[in-house]
Amino acid sequence: MMSTPNAPWLKFYGENPVTINYPEGSMYEAIRYAYETHLNDNAEKNAAYEFQGKKTLYKEFFKKIDRVARAFKAIGIEAGDKVTICMPNAPQGIDAFYALNRISAVPAMIHPLSAAGEITFYVTNSKSKAVVVLDMFYEKVLEALEEVDYPVKVIVARIQDELPFPLGMLYPLTVKNKPAPLPKDNENVISWNDFLAGGKAVKELPDTYPAKDDTAVILFSGGTTGTSKGIELTNLNMNALGYEVAGGAGFTMHGLRMFSVMPLFHGFGLGVGIHTALSQGGTCILIPQFTIKTYARDVKKYKPNVIVGVPTLFEALLRSDGFDGADLSFLRGVFCGGDSLSVELKKKVDTFLTEHNCKVQIREGYGTTECVTASCLTPYDFFREGSIGIPLPDNYYQIVDPKNDTEVPYGTEGEICIMSPTVMKGYLDNAAETASTLRRHKDGNVWLHTGDLGVMDEDGFIYYKQRMKRLIIVSGFNVYPSQVENTIDAHPDVLLSCAIGVPDPYKMHKVKAFVVLRPGVEPTEEIKEQILAHCRKNISKYAVPREIEFRTELPKTLVGKVAYRQLEEEEEAKIKAQEQTQKQEENKE
């Protein structure tokens, strides 16, 4: 059923359906509007972003955007052209992102750690005419471009150019693997500073801006179950997200400080960590690289009001010893997304926040890159166990039967579908996949099919179950890895777990769990048996792991999610090796 009225959470939004007036124009215009409408001349409140202690005020930010926009025009970037941005959370990446929007061009965001083959795919798929990249990664980009059959400009930025004095001078001394000098015989490779200098020849910028339905950015799907796809998001998609998140958060972002640690190439990092903050007049604290060692130091130093991250980031919060005695009362919002937040991890984080004088709880969001990121959020101080919350303002959810797209009753499991102003324009140059994902239902509306299974209760709360393709089938019974993981994580000695299905000749699959124990706890057969006994008490017999393997850490994807597919591939490789050995033994006999 569609998430609708008559529910206790309505008191948070008022008795009437929530409708927001969104900016009609571009992302750039939305930021200018927020600045001119909500901020004053107080220098502290007028910082657009802060990088390693160096603040860029909004007035300077707009000047930088124009400067970079002129530079793009100078190298031939026009309206509609694509430019790949391969940057961490650094000022040049932010400036380039909005400068392209300023001239109606389109940034395609990718991870700096992408392999050369992946970069070749991203550049050719988006037909990018230029790449903005950090100096330590530019050689890999050049390698990737050898497989591209047209010339591509490579603009190479340096972290040290944006650092405050004297950090900028000392930075090169701290880098172990120094980047190679730029080639002098390649006219397509240009330093960031020379790139900016070239823009001085362009005297005027367009006095028109992109329309709300124009493509504003291309993000790429993870590609964990197939070929990565370019996701076209419009100006309205991005701007609507900022307003919806601000409305769902329950507090204004004007002048607040966002801990922007999630990466630019990810919908959560770009959409919430950057654009939501800027479109609402906030300040982004740019964190180019997340490490447990620097986590506590940065939080205490910069005192952000809002932290967003994936579950592994909050797991790190519990592991860091730098928070001992810290006062975190400056936090007004702590939001988790990008992966399922287990009930037990939420309890542990909430306890941690309370112990550190923080008055808020961690709130879980849900969404997909096809609707930028979050479309559902736990209401403030109104947690319902196991639920990912209620739809954000102007977001509607349907739970449908995957076989025929018809709505199922409350409490019945089906595929989660979303209708929202944030739903993508479509997959880049892929009409077939777009038609498969954006489907018109019998109600006449076009719905985004998420590929996720979930349930809606009578109060409109959504319960995420699992990716449709990640079900473990044991003797014909559906086992949800998240249920197994939540149960294991509830054990006091467990820090993190991941459950996968291992092929079994009789049961189709059997459950195997990979477990990371809390610091100081040694893996023993006794603890393994305790975990299994705990599982037997709390989940069905067929869902209890047949095997537990202890690890010191679990593999992660580029955005910090547990890379369950990597664990599955490891097990598949083991099985093939065992089968091959068995055949060799049989042949000997």
Side-chain angles (χ1 to χ4, degrees):
M1 301 291 287
M2 196 181 294
S3 191
T4 48
N6 224 7
W9 48 265
L10 276 175
K11 65 183 180 182
F12 297 104
Y13 299 121
E15 295 300 325
N16 297 316
V18 176
T19 300
I20 297 172
N21 291 321
Y22 301 105
E24 288 291 308
S26 65
M27 296 187 298
Y28 171 81
E29 289 173 290
I31 295 175
R32 285 215 72 114
Y33 174 80
Y35 167 69
E36 293 166 359
T37 306
H38 300 301
L39 298 176
N40 54 42
D41 290 330
N42 184 308
E44 280 293 319
K45 292 185 178 180
N46 279 0
Y49 58 72
E50 183 175 343
F51 183 66
Q52 301 297 301
K54 180 181 177 181
K55 294 180 180 179
T56 295
L57 304 185
Y58 269 94
K59 288 181 179 179
E60 177 60 23
F61 181 42
F62 293 124
K63 291 178 182 177
K64 291 178 74 176
I65 290 174
D66 281 2
R67 197 178 307 140
V68 177
R70 289 189 178 92
F72 277 125
K73 294 284 287 185
I75 65 169
I77 303 300
E78 301 292 342
D81 287 344
K82 316 295 194 304
V83 173
T84 294
I85 295 180
C86 182
M87 291 285 293
N89 292 6
Q92 297 98 324
I94 308 297
D95 298 344
F97 177 77
Y98 287 104
L100 290 167
N101 189 250
R102 171 73 177 83
I103 59 174
S104 301
V106 181
M109 316 300 288
I110 70 171
H111 199 300
L113 298 182
S114 301
E118 292 174 314
I119 295 172
T120 301
F121 170 81
Y122 296 140
V123 170
T124 55
N125 186 252
S126 62
K127 300 180 180 65
S128 288
K129 291 188 174 182
V131 178
V132 178
V133 63
L134 201 63
D135 55 357
M136 62 184 68
F137 304 117
Y138 92 88
E139 289 179 288
K140 180 173 57 178
V141 169
L142 292 186
E143 178 188 345
L145 294 181
E146 290 177 2
E147 303 300 320
V148 178
D149 59 6
Y150 62 89
V152 178
K153 293 285 187 183
V154 179
I155 303 154
V156 184
R158 303 190 308 172
I159 286 287
Q160 65 201 73
D161 292 338
E162 289 288 345
L163 293 174
F165 180 84
L167 290 181
M169 294 181 61
L170 298 175
Y171 177 79
L173 302 177
T174 67
V175 179
K176 293 181 181 179
N177 299 318
K178 292 180 171 48
L182 300 191
K184 297 180 180 180
D185 57 348
N186 190 335
E187 62 181 12
N188 286 320
V189 180
I190 181 174
S191 72
W192 179 264
N193 289 335
D194 288 343
F195 166 68
L196 292 180
K200 294 177 181 178
V202 177
K203 301 304 180 185
E204 293 186 0
L205 288 172
D207 56 6
T208 58
Y209 301 96
K212 66 178 182 179
D213 294 325
D214 289 343
T215 301
V217 59
I218 296 169
L219 300 179
F220 288 91
S221 62
T224 54
T225 57
T227 304
S228 184
K229 298 182 288 290
I231 297 169
E232 290 190 84
L233 299 170
T234 67
N235 288 281
L236 175 61
N237 293 158
M238 296 294 291
N239 290 335
L241 175 78
Y243 280 68
E244 289 168 5
V245 169
F251 55 81
T252 175
M253 278 294 299
H254 312 331
L256 293 192
R257 296 162 64 78
M258 171 77 76
F259 197 63
S260 303
V261 64
M262 291 297 293
L264 287 177
F265 73 92
H266 190 261
F268 195 20
L270 182 68
V272 176
I274 301 296
H275 190 63
T276 290
L278 296 177
S279 69
Q280 302 303 308
T283 298
C284 299
I285 309 301
L286 302 180
I287 307 296
Q289 184 179 16
F290 170 77
T291 67
I292 293 179
K293 292 181 179 179
T294 59
Y295 190 11
R297 181 202 69 190
D298 287 343
V299 169
K300 292 187 294 185
K301 177 179 179 181
Y302 298 117
K303 292 182 170 52
N305 306 117
V306 183
I307 291 180
V308 298
V310 293
T312 49
L313 183 140
F314 294 107
E315 171 220 333
L317 186 84
L318 304 176
R319 294 171 63 181
S320 174
D321 57 8
F323 286 108
D324 291 347
D327 181 358
L328 302 182
S329 58
F330 48 78
L331 286 174
R332 293 188 55 187
V334 179
F335 301 96
C336 181
D339 204 353
S340 295
L341 174 70
S342 72
V343 173
E344 291 305 319
L345 181 56
K346 173 178 168 48
K347 290 178 180 177
K348 293 170 185 175
V349 173
D350 285 344
T351 298
F352 173 91
L353 293 172
T354 299
E355 290 173 347
H356 290 80
N357 202 26
C358 183
K359 296 181 180 179
V360 300
Q361 297 179 343
I362 188 171
R363 296 167 65 186
E364 183 175 11
Y366 164 84
T368 70
T369 310
E370 283 81 355
C371 62
V372 190
T373 179
S375 59
C376 187
L377 181 65
T378 304
Y380 177 79
D381 206 25
F382 198 89
F383 171 66
R384 187 166 289 186
E385 189 165 301
S387 171
I388 51 175
I390 59 174
L392 289 170
D394 288 343
N395 283 256
Y396 296 90
Y397 272 54
Q398 267 188 355
I399 309 297
V400 305
D401 185 334
K403 297 175 183 176
N404 53 28
D405 293 354
T406 57
E407 275 191 272
V408 298
Y410 292 125
T412 304
E413 183 181 293
E415 183 179 9
I416 298 173
C417 295
I418 301 169
M419 181 172 61
S420 166
T422 63
V423 169
M424 68 174 180
K425 187 175 185 177
Y427 293 117
L428 181 65
D429 297 330
N430 198 332
E433 286 286 355
T434 299
S436 174
T437 304
L438 301 180
R439 309 212 292 257
R440 192 173 298 279
H441 290 186
K442 292 178 181 178
D443 59 10
N445 296 310
V446 174
W447 293 83
L448 167 66
H449 282 247
T450 64
D452 290 336
L453 293 173
V455 172
M456 183 189 300
D457 68 20
E458 293 186 356
D459 293 328
F461 279 79
I462 311 299
Y463 298 80
Y464 169 81
K465 294 298 183 180
Q466 199 66 60
R467 288 292 299 169
M468 289 168 65
K469 294 183 179 179
R470 207 196 157 195
L471 277 176
I472 302 173
I473 311 297
V474 179
S475 299
F477 292 99
N478 291 347
V479 175
Y480 299 111
S482 58
Q483 181 190 23
V484 180
E485 291 157 3
N486 286 343
T487 303
I488 294 174
D489 290 351
H491 191 281
D493 291 328
V494 172
L495 183 65
L496 186 66
S497 67
C498 180
I500 66 168
V502 177
D504 184 89
Y506 302 106
K507 301 176 180 292
M508 188 172 177
H509 287 95
K510 60 183 178 182
V511 180
K512 177 173 181 177
F514 296 84
V515 176
V516 178
L517 297 172
R518 282 187 167 278
V521 180
E522 294 296 324
T524 63
E525 285 299 316
E526 182 181 358
I527 288 201
K528 182 183 293 185
E529 185 50 42
Q530 288 176 4
I531 293 171
L532 289 173
H534 178 71
C535 290
R536 294 186 195 106
K537 285 177 60 178
N538 292 283
I539 53 178
S540 302
K541 183 178 179 180
Y542 54 81
V544 174
R546 297 299 174 191
E547 183 181 355
I548 288 179
E549 180 177 328
F550 291 114
R551 297 271 184 108
T552 55
E553 60 181 356
L554 297 179
K556 304 292 196 305
T557 66
L558 292 177
V559 297
K561 298 181 184 181
V562 174
Y564 71 88
R565 184 61 192 137
Q566 183 176 329
L567 296 171
E568 289 175 345
E569 289 171 350
E570 289 177 14
E571 291 302 308
E572 289 166 3
K574 282 183 187 177
I575 292 171
K576 286 182 180 179
Q578 290 170 358
E579 290 174 347
Q580 191 172 10
T581 301
Q582 187 176 350
K583 285 181 180 179
Q584 291 173 347
E585 293 295 329
E586 289 173 354
N587 290 335
K588 287 180 182 179
E589 295 176 1

